[in-house]
C-alpha cells in the first residue's frame, strides 16, 4: 500500500485521517505544520501528501507550492484536505499544484477514492 504524509495541526483531524488510512493498509507519516511537512516530504518521499491549509507558519498553500515546484518532490501528488470550502480556495489550491481538493469532514470512501485516483496518476 501507499506511504501517505498527513500535514495537519489538528490532533483530532490527524487521528481521524490516520485511522482511515491505516485501516486500509496505508503507512502514515505525520507533520504538524507546513514547514515540517515539506522537510519530511523531501526526506521520506511519500507516495502522496494530505495537506491542511490553515496552519501556523507556512500554510498549506505555501507548502503545496514548495513541494510541487521542487524537482525533488514535484512527482508527489498533494491532496488538500481543509475546512476552507470556497470556490476561490479550490482554484487557488489547484494553482499551487494540488492534484485534488477535499473539504472536511472527509468521509472515508471519498478520501480513499481520491487517494487511489491520484496514486494511479
Amino acid at each position: 500500500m501507499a506511504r501517505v504524509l498527513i500535514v495537519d495541526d489538528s490532533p483530532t483531524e490527524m487521528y481521524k485521517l490516520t485511522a482511515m488510512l491505516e485501516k486500509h493498509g496505508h503507512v502514515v507519516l505525520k507533520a504538524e505544520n507546513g514547514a515540517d511537512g515539506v522537510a519530511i516530504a523531501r526526506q521520506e518521499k511519500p507516495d502522496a501528501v494530505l495537506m491542511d491549509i490553515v496552519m501556523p507558519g507556512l500554510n498549506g498553500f505555501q507548502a503545496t507550492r514548495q513541494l510541487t515546484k521542487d524537482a525533488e518532490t514535484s512527482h508527489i501528488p498533494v491532496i488538500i484536505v481543509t475546512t476552507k470550502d470556497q470556490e476561490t480556495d479550490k482554484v487557488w489550491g489547484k494553482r499551487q499544484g494540488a492534484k485534488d481538493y477535499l473539504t472536511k469532514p472527509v468521509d472515508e470512501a471519498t478520501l480513499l477514492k481520491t487517494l487511489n485516483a491520484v496514486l494511479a496518476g
Side-chain angles (χ1 to χ4, degrees):
M1 298 313 290
R3 292 170 71 237
V4 182
L5 170 61
I6 301 171
V7 185
D8 199 314
D9 61 333
S10 160
T12 306
E13 285 300 324
M14 184 71 80
Y15 175 80
K16 285 184 196 168
L17 292 170
T18 299
M20 285 184 218
L21 293 170
E22 286 182 343
K23 185 167 119 183
H24 293 274
H26 297 293
V27 175
V28 174
L29 305 169
K30 301 173 184 177
E32 293 175 7
N33 60 60
D36 287 352
V38 170
I40 291 170
R42 286 187 176 133
Q43 184 181 340
E44 297 289 335
K45 306 285 191 293
D47 299 309
V49 177
L50 301 181
M51 181 75 72
D52 186 26
I53 297 299
V54 184
M55 296 182 287
L58 194 69
N59 73 37
F61 288 137
Q62 295 164 319
T64 297
R65 187 168 54 241
Q66 284 189 20
L67 290 174
T68 58
K69 303 294 182 244
D70 184 336
E72 231 184 286
T73 54
S74 62
H75 66 285
I76 303 169
V78 177
I79 301 168
I80 291 176
V81 182
T82 182
T83 54
K84 293 173 75 66
D85 64 353
Q86 298 297 310
E87 195 55 39
T88 51
D89 295 320
K90 293 176 184 176
V91 169
W92 187 243
K94 296 277 180 95
R95 282 204 183 139
Q96 305 317 303
K99 295 287 185 227
D100 215 323
Y101 193 106
L102 301 173
T103 50
K104 294 175 186 173
V106 179
D107 72 275
E108 195 170 315
T110 304
L111 176 67
L112 292 165
K113 190 176 98 180
T114 305
L115 180 61
N116 289 333
V118 301
L119 290 172

